[in-house]
Amino acid sequence: MENATKALLIAAAVLVAILIISLGLVVYNMAAETMGNVNLSEAEIQQFNDKFTRYEGTSQSGTQVNAMLNTVFTHNMSETDEGRKVTVVEGAASGTGTDVLTGDETTKPKKVDTGRRYTVVAEYDNQSKLINKITFTENSSTP
């Protein structure tokens, strides 16, 4: 009888240990989901950003800007995570610009004048270090 009691106590202890481990895994998985992009490696972050950083510069042609618009449009169409989508704004970087990729997702992005020069600046998310916004402005031409 004494051995049966010990066996039942051991079985109860094992069940409690399994419950504690399961609870720990549930908490870990919930925390991992909220962290999102924080767990990306430096190589993954660089690979993501490289798609867009090649278009940065102070004297980009209209053709380059159109290529950038198409790249961002294609990226946003294939991206399921809203936090990894990139916004493109035409105008001032101070927030007075116009988002050029809003609207129906099947509509192609607008095209810019290929005969002009543009300044393209990328902005990064502070936590994930991924590009989340690209602003382009037309360079003023001096006579």
Side-chain angles (χ1 to χ4, degrees):
M1 186 71 171
E2 193 174 308
N3 287 342
T5 305
K6 285 184 180 181
L8 286 173
L9 286 174
I10 291 172
V14 168
L15 286 175
V16 168
I18 290 173
L19 286 173
I20 290 172
I21 291 171
S22 298
L23 181 63
L25 287 173
V26 167
V27 169
Y28 173 78
N29 286 335
M30 288 174 56
E33 287 178 16
T34 59
M35 294 302 280
N37 295 333
V38 175
N39 294 329
L40 292 176
S41 71
E42 290 295 321
E44 291 171 320
I45 292 170
Q46 180 154 1
Q47 181 182 8
F48 178 90
N49 289 340
D50 280 347
K51 290 187 276 188
F52 310 112
T53 55
R54 65 177 165 213
Y55 299 109
E56 278 189 293
T58 57
S59 185
Q60 296 293 330
S61 68
T63 305
Q64 283 287 92
V65 173
N66 285 333
M68 183 251 327
L69 290 170
N70 285 327
T71 300
V72 173
F73 177 77
T74 304
H75 166 77
N76 286 349
M77 288 290 292
S78 63
E79 187 61 57
T80 57
D81 183 0
E82 290 294 322
R84 294 180 65 162
K85 290 189 177 185
V86 179
T87 305
V88 179
V89 176
E90 178 181 17
S94 62
T96 59
T98 309
D99 188 351
V100 296
L101 294 180
T102 57
D104 186 13
E105 290 188 355
T106 59
T107 306
K108 285 286 192 180
K110 76 176 261 182
K111 300 290 184 191
V112 298
D113 186 356
T114 56
R116 305 225 183 247
R117 291 289 186 179
Y118 298 86
T119 298
V120 179
V121 178
E123 296 178 26
Y124 298 82
D125 182 77
N126 289 334
Q127 286 184 326
S128 67
K129 306 294 186 235
L130 298 175
I131 291 176
N132 62 356
K133 181 179 179 182
I134 300 174
T135 303
F136 68 94
T137 54
E138 185 179 330
N139 293 348
S140 58
S141 58
T142 55

mmCIF file of all heavy atoms in Angstrom, residues 55-62 64-65 68 88-93 112 116-122 134-140:
data_model
loop_
_atom_site.group_PDB
_atom_site.id
_atom_site.type_symbol
_atom_site.label_atom_id
_atom_site.label_comp_id
_atom_site.label_asym_id
_atom_site.label_seq_id
_atom_site.Cartn_x
_atom_site.Cartn_y
_atom_site.Cartn_z
ATOM 1 N N TYR A 55 17.825 52.772 -54.291
ATOM 2 C CA TYR A 55 17.139 53.895 -54.938
ATOM 3 C C TYR A 55 17.355 55.211 -54.198
ATOM 4 O O TYR A 55 16.898 56.249 -54.652
ATOM 5 C CB TYR A 55 15.635 53.609 -55.031
ATOM 6 C CG TYR A 55 15.321 52.382 -55.855
ATOM 7 C CD1 TYR A 55 14.856 51.212 -55.252
ATOM 8 C CD2 TYR A 55 15.496 52.381 -57.233
ATOM 9 C CE1 TYR A 55 14.566 50.088 -56.007
ATOM 10 C CE2 TYR A 55 15.219 51.266 -57.991
ATOM 11 C CZ TYR A 55 14.747 50.121 -57.374
ATOM 12 O OH TYR A 55 14.467 49.010 -58.125
ATOM 13 N N GLU A 56 18.033 55.185 -53.051
ATOM 14 C CA GLU A 56 18.268 56.409 -52.287
ATOM 15 C C GLU A 56 19.299 57.284 -52.994
ATOM 16 O O GLU A 56 20.214 56.791 -53.637
ATOM 17 C CB GLU A 56 18.796 56.086 -50.885
ATOM 18 C CG GLU A 56 17.754 55.717 -49.889
ATOM 19 C CD GLU A 56 18.333 55.620 -48.498
ATOM 20 O OE1 GLU A 56 19.138 54.714 -48.249
ATOM 21 O OE2 GLU A 56 17.962 56.468 -47.677
ATOM 22 N N GLY A 57 19.135 58.593 -52.835
ATOM 23 C CA GLY A 57 20.122 59.512 -53.377
ATOM 24 C C GLY A 57 19.530 60.882 -53.632
ATOM 25 O O GLY A 57 18.315 61.075 -53.589
ATOM 26 N N THR A 58 20.405 61.843 -53.905
ATOM 27 C CA THR A 58 19.958 63.220 -54.096
ATOM 28 C C THR A 58 19.732 63.568 -55.559
ATOM 29 O O THR A 58 19.207 64.631 -55.853
ATOM 30 C CB THR A 58 20.981 64.208 -53.506
ATOM 31 O OG1 THR A 58 22.251 63.957 -54.121
ATOM 32 C CG2 THR A 58 21.082 64.039 -52.005
ATOM 33 N N SER A 59 20.122 62.715 -56.475
ATOM 34 C CA SER A 59 19.938 63.030 -57.890
ATOM 35 C C SER A 59 19.520 61.778 -58.660
ATOM 36 O O SER A 59 20.182 61.348 -59.609
ATOM 37 C CB SER A 59 21.237 63.603 -58.467
ATOM 38 O OG SER A 59 21.028 64.015 -59.805
ATOM 39 N N GLN A 60 18.396 61.205 -58.245
ATOM 40 C CA GLN A 60 17.887 60.010 -58.907
ATOM 41 C C GLN A 60 17.023 60.411 -60.108
ATOM 42 O O GLN A 60 16.258 61.367 -60.034
ATOM 43 C CB GLN A 60 17.055 59.174 -57.930
ATOM 44 C CG GLN A 60 17.837 58.627 -56.765
ATOM 45 C CD GLN A 60 18.866 57.601 -57.186
ATOM 46 O OE1 GLN A 60 18.685 56.885 -58.172
ATOM 47 N NE2 GLN A 60 19.965 57.541 -56.467
ATOM 48 N N SER A 61 17.157 59.683 -61.176
ATOM 49 C CA SER A 61 16.360 59.979 -62.371
ATOM 50 C C SER A 61 14.909 59.537 -62.149
ATOM 51 O O SER A 61 14.609 58.744 -61.264
ATOM 52 C CB SER A 61 16.940 59.241 -63.585
ATOM 53 O OG SER A 61 16.749 57.840 -63.442
ATOM 54 N N GLY A 62 14.035 60.068 -62.973
ATOM 55 C CA GLY A 62 12.631 59.680 -62.902
ATOM 56 C C GLY A 62 12.448 58.196 -63.179
ATOM 57 O O GLY A 62 11.559 57.552 -62.612
ATOM 58 N N GLN A 64 14.551 55.827 -62.324
ATOM 59 C CA GLN A 64 14.886 55.143 -61.073
ATOM 60 C C GLN A 64 13.732 55.223 -60.083
ATOM 61 O O GLN A 64 13.429 54.248 -59.401
ATOM 62 C CB GLN A 64 16.143 55.755 -60.446
ATOM 63 C CG GLN A 64 17.434 55.341 -61.117
ATOM 64 C CD GLN A 64 17.770 53.914 -60.780
ATOM 65 O OE1 GLN A 64 17.394 52.992 -61.503
ATOM 66 N NE2 GLN A 64 18.471 53.708 -59.690
ATOM 67 N N VAL A 65 13.099 56.396 -59.999
ATOM 68 C CA VAL A 65 11.978 56.558 -59.065
ATOM 69 C C VAL A 65 10.813 55.676 -59.493
ATOM 70 O O VAL A 65 10.168 55.030 -58.653
ATOM 71 C CB VAL A 65 11.560 58.040 -58.964
ATOM 72 C CG1 VAL A 65 10.294 58.188 -58.128
ATOM 73 C CG2 VAL A 65 12.681 58.873 -58.354
ATOM 74 N N MET A 68 11.615 52.244 -58.440
ATOM 75 C CA MET A 68 11.432 52.129 -56.995
ATOM 76 C C MET A 68 9.952 51.974 -56.654
ATOM 77 O O MET A 68 9.581 51.151 -55.824
ATOM 78 C CB MET A 68 12.013 53.358 -56.290
ATOM 79 C CG MET A 68 11.942 53.320 -54.786
ATOM 80 S SD MET A 68 10.770 54.422 -53.962
ATOM 81 C CE MET A 68 10.657 55.858 -54.894
ATOM 82 N N VAL A 88 5.206 54.969 -49.498
ATOM 83 C CA VAL A 88 5.945 55.888 -50.361
ATOM 84 C C VAL A 88 5.197 57.208 -50.402
ATOM 85 O O VAL A 88 4.002 57.245 -50.692
ATOM 86 C CB VAL A 88 6.108 55.323 -51.791
ATOM 87 C CG1 VAL A 88 6.851 56.312 -52.672
ATOM 88 C CG2 VAL A 88 6.829 53.994 -51.760
ATOM 89 N N VAL A 89 5.926 58.288 -50.103
ATOM 90 C CA VAL A 89 5.327 59.611 -50.030
ATOM 91 C C VAL A 89 6.035 60.530 -51.014
ATOM 92 O O VAL A 89 7.261 60.564 -51.075
ATOM 93 C CB VAL A 89 5.443 60.183 -48.592
ATOM 94 C CG1 VAL A 89 4.915 61.601 -48.527
ATOM 95 C CG2 VAL A 89 4.701 59.294 -47.617
ATOM 96 N N GLU A 90 5.222 61.256 -51.789
ATOM 97 C CA GLU A 90 5.766 62.264 -52.694
ATOM 98 C C GLU A 90 5.594 63.618 -52.019
ATOM 99 O O GLU A 90 4.499 63.987 -51.612
ATOM 100 C CB GLU A 90 5.027 62.259 -54.028
ATOM 101 C CG GLU A 90 5.522 63.327 -54.990
ATOM 102 C CD GLU A 90 4.772 63.333 -56.302
ATOM 103 O OE1 GLU A 90 3.682 62.743 -56.368
ATOM 104 O OE2 GLU A 90 5.284 63.935 -57.256
ATOM 105 N N GLY A 91 6.675 64.346 -51.880
ATOM 106 C CA GLY A 91 6.595 65.659 -51.261
ATOM 107 C C GLY A 91 7.558 65.788 -50.122
ATOM 108 O O GLY A 91 8.545 65.064 -50.033
ATOM 109 N N ALA A 92 7.278 66.704 -49.229
ATOM 110 C CA ALA A 92 8.175 67.016 -48.127
ATOM 111 C C ALA A 92 8.235 65.879 -47.123
ATOM 112 O O ALA A 92 7.238 65.237 -46.840
ATOM 113 C CB ALA A 92 7.729 68.301 -47.442
ATOM 114 N N ALA A 93 9.428 65.680 -46.569
ATOM 115 C CA ALA A 93 9.619 64.635 -45.571
ATOM 116 C C ALA A 93 8.990 65.019 -44.238
ATOM 117 O O ALA A 93 8.872 64.197 -43.351
ATOM 118 C CB ALA A 93 11.116 64.363 -45.383
ATOM 119 N N VAL A 112 6.234 59.028 -62.415
ATOM 120 C CA VAL A 112 6.775 60.379 -62.337
ATOM 121 C C VAL A 112 7.430 60.729 -63.665
ATOM 122 O O VAL A 112 7.706 59.862 -64.498
ATOM 123 C CB VAL A 112 7.786 60.516 -61.179
ATOM 124 C CG1 VAL A 112 7.125 60.242 -59.849
ATOM 125 C CG2 VAL A 112 8.979 59.607 -61.369
ATOM 126 N N ARG A 116 13.018 64.437 -65.156
ATOM 127 C CA ARG A 116 13.367 65.234 -63.977
ATOM 128 C C ARG A 116 14.260 64.423 -63.036
ATOM 129 O O ARG A 116 14.390 63.215 -63.156
ATOM 130 C CB ARG A 116 12.100 65.651 -63.242
ATOM 131 C CG ARG A 116 11.117 66.387 -64.123
ATOM 132 C CD ARG A 116 10.605 67.590 -63.403
ATOM 133 N NE ARG A 116 9.602 68.268 -64.220
ATOM 134 C CZ ARG A 116 9.790 69.448 -64.737
ATOM 135 N NH1 ARG A 116 10.924 70.079 -64.556
ATOM 136 N NH2 ARG A 116 8.840 70.017 -65.449
ATOM 137 N N ARG A 117 14.839 65.123 -62.056
ATOM 138 C CA ARG A 117 15.686 64.511 -61.033
ATOM 139 C C ARG A 117 14.984 64.596 -59.683
ATOM 140 O O ARG A 117 14.272 65.560 -59.401
ATOM 141 C CB ARG A 117 17.043 65.211 -60.938
ATOM 142 C CG ARG A 117 17.916 64.991 -62.134
ATOM 143 C CD ARG A 117 18.374 63.569 -62.112
ATOM 144 N NE ARG A 117 19.334 63.313 -63.176
ATOM 145 C CZ ARG A 117 19.888 62.148 -63.355
ATOM 146 N NH1 ARG A 117 19.593 61.148 -62.572
ATOM 147 N NH2 ARG A 117 20.729 61.954 -64.331
ATOM 148 N N TYR A 118 15.205 63.597 -58.851
ATOM 149 C CA TYR A 118 14.505 63.492 -57.581
ATOM 150 C C TYR A 118 15.483 63.144 -56.453
ATOM 151 O O TYR A 118 16.513 62.513 -56.683
ATOM 152 C CB TYR A 118 13.420 62.412 -57.651
ATOM 153 C CG TYR A 118 12.359 62.707 -58.673
ATOM 154 C CD1 TYR A 118 12.512 62.337 -60.005
ATOM 155 C CD2 TYR A 118 11.200 63.374 -58.310
ATOM 156 C CE1 TYR A 118 11.536 62.624 -60.951
ATOM 157 C CE2 TYR A 118 10.215 63.658 -59.240
ATOM 158 C CZ TYR A 118 10.396 63.287 -60.559
ATOM 159 O OH TYR A 118 9.432 63.581 -61.493
ATOM 160 N N THR A 119 15.100 63.559 -55.247
ATOM 161 C CA THR A 119 15.813 63.154 -54.041
ATOM 162 C C THR A 119 14.968 62.099 -53.345
ATOM 163 O O THR A 119 13.784 62.318 -53.079
ATOM 164 C CB THR A 119 16.038 64.355 -53.101
ATOM 165 O OG1 THR A 119 16.846 65.319 -53.787
ATOM 166 C CG2 THR A 119 16.728 63.930 -51.815
ATOM 167 N N VAL A 120 15.584 60.952 -53.068
ATOM 168 C CA VAL A 120 14.878 59.833 -52.446
ATOM 169 C C VAL A 120 15.519 59.557 -51.083
ATOM 170 O O VAL A 120 16.729 59.369 -50.991
ATOM 171 C CB VAL A 120 14.949 58.570 -53.331
ATOM 172 C CG1 VAL A 120 14.233 57.405 -52.667
ATOM 173 C CG2 VAL A 120 14.375 58.848 -54.710
ATOM 174 N N VAL A 121 14.684 59.555 -50.034
ATOM 175 C CA VAL A 121 15.158 59.336 -48.668
ATOM 176 C C VAL A 121 14.330 58.224 -48.032
ATOM 177 O O VAL A 121 13.099 58.251 -48.087
ATOM 178 C CB VAL A 121 15.031 60.629 -47.821
ATOM 179 C CG1 VAL A 121 15.485 60.389 -46.396
ATOM 180 C CG2 VAL A 121 15.789 61.773 -48.454
ATOM 181 N N ALA A 122 15.019 57.264 -47.422
ATOM 182 C CA ALA A 122 14.341 56.157 -46.736
ATOM 183 C C ALA A 122 14.351 56.418 -45.236
ATOM 184 O O ALA A 122 15.324 56.936 -44.689
ATOM 185 C CB ALA A 122 15.037 54.839 -47.038
ATOM 186 N N ILE A 134 9.435 55.693 -47.559
ATOM 187 C CA ILE A 134 10.350 56.292 -48.532
ATOM 188 C C ILE A 134 9.705 57.574 -49.027
ATOM 189 O O ILE A 134 8.549 57.574 -49.433
ATOM 190 C CB ILE A 134 10.636 55.345 -49.711
ATOM 191 C CG1 ILE A 134 11.275 54.050 -49.214
ATOM 192 C CG2 ILE A 134 11.521 56.028 -50.744
ATOM 193 C CD1 ILE A 134 11.454 52.995 -50.285
ATOM 194 N N THR A 135 10.467 58.666 -48.967
ATOM 195 C CA THR A 135 9.972 59.958 -49.428
ATOM 196 C C THR A 135 10.806 60.391 -50.624
ATOM 197 O O THR A 135 12.031 60.307 -50.601
ATOM 198 C CB THR A 135 10.103 61.013 -48.309
ATOM 199 O OG1 THR A 135 9.389 60.548 -47.165
ATOM 200 C CG2 THR A 135 9.534 62.342 -48.745
ATOM 201 N N PHE A 136 10.112 60.825 -51.688
ATOM 202 C CA PHE A 136 10.850 61.375 -52.820
ATOM 203 C C PHE A 136 10.309 62.760 -53.151
ATOM 204 O O PHE A 136 9.116 63.008 -53.064
ATOM 205 C CB PHE A 136 10.816 60.454 -54.040
ATOM 206 C CG PHE A 136 9.472 60.310 -54.709
ATOM 207 C CD1 PHE A 136 9.136 61.109 -55.788
ATOM 208 C CD2 PHE A 136 8.554 59.365 -54.269
ATOM 209 C CE1 PHE A 136 7.901 60.971 -56.413
ATOM 210 C CE2 PHE A 136 7.328 59.225 -54.885
ATOM 211 C CZ PHE A 136 7.003 60.041 -55.960
ATOM 212 N N THR A 137 11.223 63.666 -53.463
ATOM 213 C CA THR A 137 10.857 65.034 -53.830
ATOM 214 C C THR A 137 11.583 65.396 -55.113
ATOM 215 O O THR A 137 12.711 64.964 -55.355
ATOM 216 C CB THR A 137 11.264 66.039 -52.727
ATOM 217 O OG1 THR A 137 12.649 65.875 -52.447
ATOM 218 C CG2 THR A 137 10.463 65.827 -51.467
ATOM 219 N N GLU A 138 10.911 66.199 -55.924
ATOM 220 C CA GLU A 138 11.509 66.656 -57.172
ATOM 221 C C GLU A 138 12.546 67.721 -56.849
ATOM 222 O O GLU A 138 12.307 68.615 -56.050
ATOM 223 C CB GLU A 138 10.430 67.225 -58.088
ATOM 224 C CG GLU A 138 10.959 67.620 -59.448
ATOM 225 C CD GLU A 138 9.863 68.152 -60.357
ATOM 226 O OE1 GLU A 138 8.704 67.715 -60.215
ATOM 227 O OE2 GLU A 138 10.188 68.997 -61.203
ATOM 228 N N ASN A 139 13.735 67.574 -57.443
ATOM 229 C CA ASN A 139 14.791 68.563 -57.240
ATOM 230 C C ASN A 139 14.399 69.860 -57.955
ATOM 231 O O ASN A 139 13.885 69.820 -59.069
ATOM 232 C CB ASN A 139 16.131 68.057 -57.765
ATOM 233 C CG ASN A 139 16.652 66.900 -56.956
ATOM 234 O OD1 ASN A 139 16.160 66.589 -55.876
ATOM 235 N ND2 ASN A 139 17.664 66.231 -57.477
ATOM 236 N N SER A 140 14.654 70.965 -57.297
ATOM 237 C CA SER A 140 14.348 72.250 -57.952
ATOM 238 C C SER A 140 15.443 72.530 -58.968
ATOM 239 O O SER A 140 16.625 72.371 -58.694
ATOM 240 C CB SER A 140 14.286 73.368 -56.898
ATOM 241 O OG SER A 140 15.503 73.455 -56.209
#
